[in-house]
Amino acid sequence: MSSQQKTPGYQPKKLLKLPKEMPSNIIIKSENSEPVNVPYQMNQTEQIAVASTAVQHQDRSKKAFAPASELVNRINIDFKKLQSFKDVDCSKWQILYLAKLKACYRIADFSDSKKDQELKEQKKECLIEIIDVLDEQEAADHIIKERVLEATMQMISANLFRTFSNKNNKKASSVDPDEDEPHLEEAWPHLQLIYELLLKFILTTHLRNDVIVKHISNNFINSFLELFDSEDPRERDYLKTILHRIYGKFMAIRPTIKHQIMNVLLKVVYTYNIETHNGLTELLEILSSITSGLTTPLKQEHQTFFKKVLIPLHKVKTLATYNTQLQLCVKNYLEKSNQLHVPLICGLLKFWPITCPSKEVIFI
C-alpha cells in the first residue's frame, strides 16, 4: 500500500483538464488592548513596506527567497499589536495587510509541541485572516495590487522553501514503499494555510496574468518543484494542484515548468540506485496532463525524453508506486507517434526485472 493510502482521511485532488496612495496611519492595539490611532510617526510597518519595495525595484533579477530580509529581522512585528481588518477602515487595509505579511515571516518551532505555542496560534489566526479578507468585495480595490502580490510571494517563499531534514537519512536501497510510513509535516497547520494563500493569488481575477507571471520567477518554480520530494502526501497534493493551475493559466511559463519537471525526472533516472524521490506519482500525473496536449508530429526533444527518461523510469525500484501515472504518459506518447513502439519494447526488454517477479507482472 502506498503512502497516500496510509494517511487517514486523505483523498488526493483530481486534476482538471487544461485547457492608491499609502495611508498615513494605521490603527493598532496598545499595550492595554485599547485601540489607538497612531499617526505618521508609527513607521514600523511603513518602513518595512517602503524599504523592501525599494530594494525589489533596484534589482529584480537577483531576487532571492530568503526567510527574511535584514530589515525584517531588526523590526519584530507583534501579532497582538496588529488590529483586525474588521476594525479598520478599508482605506487602510493595504498597509495593514503588508504588516501582517511581515509578521508571518516568523517561523514557529513545531518539533516540540510545547515550544512557541502562542506564536503558533497567533500566526495561524493571522494567516486565516489574510486569506479570508481577500474574499471581501473591498479587497479588490484596497489589497489585491501588484505591491501586495510581490510581498505575498516573498512571504510564501520564506515559509515554504526548505530542506527536508529526514531526506539524508534514507537511501534508495533501504526504502520500502509498502512498509515505510510517510513522515507528516509537523508544521502542516501553517503550511496548509500558506498554500491556500498562494492558490488565492494564483487564481485571482483582479490582477492581469502578465502581472502575476512577473512574480513567478524561474527560481520560484525550481524551488517549488523541489518541494515535491516531501514525504507528506497532503503537501504533495497541494503542490500538484497549484502547479497544474499555474501551468493551465499562464502560458508564458509553460515551457519552463515542462522543462523543469523533465529535469527532475531525468535526475531520478540517473540517481535511482542512490536515492529515492517521493513525488514521482504527482509529477507524472501533471506530465500526463501536459503530454496529452502535445502537437503532432512530436518534436525531437519529446521523442528523446521518451527514450531517455520515461522508458528508463521502469527500472526504478519504486515503480509500483507510480506505474499507473507512468503508463498514462507512455500511452499519450504512443498515440502521438507510431515510431516510439519499437524503442519502448526494446527498452522494456533491456530493463526486464528478471530477479523481481512483482515487477515482471507490471512489465507484462
Side-chain angles (χ1 to χ4, degrees):
M1 182 165 54
S2 67
S3 62
Q4 290 184 350
Q5 293 171 315
K6 290 186 178 183
T7 306
Y10 170 77
Q11 290 294 332
K13 297 180 177 66
K14 292 184 178 180
L15 294 180
L16 299 175
K17 289 185 177 181
L18 288 176
K20 299 189 178 192
E21 292 184 357
M22 181 187 298
S24 60
N25 57 23
I26 179 173
I27 298 178
I28 65 173
K29 291 182 180 178
S30 63
E31 294 298 330
N32 59 7
S33 298
E34 290 293 325
V36 294
N37 212 346
V38 182
Y40 205 78
Q41 62 261 30
M42 195 297 241
N43 278 335
Q44 175 171 298
T45 53
E46 290 182 334
Q47 185 179 358
I48 297 173
V50 173
S52 60
T53 301
V55 171
Q56 292 155 7
H57 285 294
Q58 286 175 6
D59 192 0
R60 291 181 182 273
S61 63
K62 296 182 180 180
K63 186 186 300 179
F65 299 106
S69 66
E70 293 182 3
L71 182 59
V72 174
N73 287 331
R74 290 201 306 267
I75 302 177
N76 186 20
I77 301 179
D78 191 345
F79 285 103
K80 292 184 291 187
K81 290 187 177 183
L82 293 174
Q83 184 71 302
S84 173
F85 287 103
K86 64 182 179 181
D87 299 325
V88 177
D89 185 82
C90 59
S91 64
K92 303 178 178 66
W93 277 9
Q94 184 178 120
I95 190 64
L96 179 57
Y97 200 92
L98 291 170
K100 288 180 180 288
L101 287 174
K102 293 300 180 182
C104 288
Y105 272 79
R106 297 175 62 188
I107 308 295
D109 184 357
F110 279 87
S111 62
D112 186 344
S113 59
K114 296 181 180 179
K115 293 182 66 175
D116 296 339
Q117 292 182 346
E118 187 177 25
L119 173 59
K120 291 172 185 176
E121 189 59 32
Q122 290 175 347
K123 183 173 178 178
K124 180 179 179 180
E125 292 177 357
C126 183
L127 287 170
I128 292 174
E129 187 179 19
I130 63 177
I131 292 171
D132 289 344
V133 74
L134 297 177
D135 293 326
E136 298 294 331
Q137 185 176 358
E138 297 84 357
D141 294 325
H142 301 287
I143 295 179
I144 308 177
K145 304 294 182 183
E146 183 176 3
R147 179 188 179 191
V148 174
L149 168 66
E150 188 169 18
T152 300
M153 295 299 286
Q154 289 188 338
M155 187 277 287
I156 288 172
S157 301
N159 279 268
L160 290 186
F161 300 154
R162 64 204 189 279
T163 56
F164 299 111
S165 57
N166 59 321
K167 179 66 178 176
N168 295 330
N169 299 326
K170 291 193 175 184
K171 300 298 181 181
S173 58
S174 64
V175 173
D176 188 339
D178 293 327
E179 297 295 335
D180 291 350
E181 291 286 347
H183 170 76
L184 301 180
E185 286 289 341
E186 296 90 349
W188 186 245
H190 288 179
L191 291 175
Q192 181 179 18
L193 294 171
I194 297 292
Y195 281 118
E196 289 288 350
L197 180 63
L198 175 58
L199 196 55
K200 282 277 188 183
F201 275 93
I202 292 299
L203 298 180
T204 184
T205 58
H206 299 298
L207 290 171
R208 300 194 317 272
N209 284 2
D210 62 304
V211 172
I212 301 176
V213 166
K214 189 164 59 174
H215 300 286
I216 305 177
S217 67
N218 289 346
N219 286 338
F220 183 92
I221 294 174
N222 292 340
S223 299
F224 196 78
L225 282 170
E226 289 179 3
L227 294 177
F228 275 87
D229 206 11
S230 169
E231 282 194 42
D232 195 326
R234 302 168 300 179
E235 179 167 22
R236 297 199 306 270
D237 199 33
Y238 266 96
L239 290 164
K240 176 187 71 176
T241 299
I242 294 173
L243 187 62
H244 189 265
R245 293 285 191 176
I246 292 175
Y247 187 90
K249 185 176 181 181
F250 308 113
M251 295 189 66
I253 55 180
R254 283 187 178 185
T256 300
I257 294 174
K258 183 167 57 180
H259 290 149
Q260 290 305 323
I261 291 177
M262 292 178 175
N263 287 339
V264 171
L265 296 177
L266 184 64
K267 180 182 177 182
V268 171
V269 167
Y270 289 99
T271 62
Y272 77 99
N273 59 340
I274 302 174
E275 60 183 41
T276 185
H277 195 286
N278 297 303
L280 291 180
T281 299
E282 291 77 14
L283 288 172
L284 286 170
E285 187 172 346
I286 295 173
L287 188 63
S288 68
S289 180
I290 293 174
T291 55
S292 65
L294 293 178
T295 58
T296 54
L298 284 179
K299 295 180 180 179
Q300 185 59 45
E301 64 180 277
H302 296 305
Q303 297 186 43
T304 302
F305 174 77
F306 179 85
K307 299 173 184 177
K308 300 294 184 182
V309 179
L310 289 187
I311 294 178
L313 276 174
H314 288 82
K315 68 182 179 180
V316 179
K317 180 180 179 181
T318 55
L319 172 64
T321 63
Y322 60 83
N323 177 59
T324 301
Q325 291 74 23
L326 178 58
Q327 298 314 311
L328 283 174
C329 290
V330 170
K331 176 176 174 290
N332 289 338
Y333 271 91
L334 294 180
E335 289 177 347
K336 303 291 182 181
S337 174
N338 293 327
Q339 298 178 0
L340 298 177
H341 288 80
V342 173
L344 174 62
I345 295 174
C346 293
L348 292 178
L349 292 174
K350 178 181 178 180
F351 302 122
W352 194 270
I354 56 176
T355 61
C356 184
S358 61
K359 285 186 68 174
E360 283 187 306
V361 173
I362 295 176
F363 273 46
I364 294 174

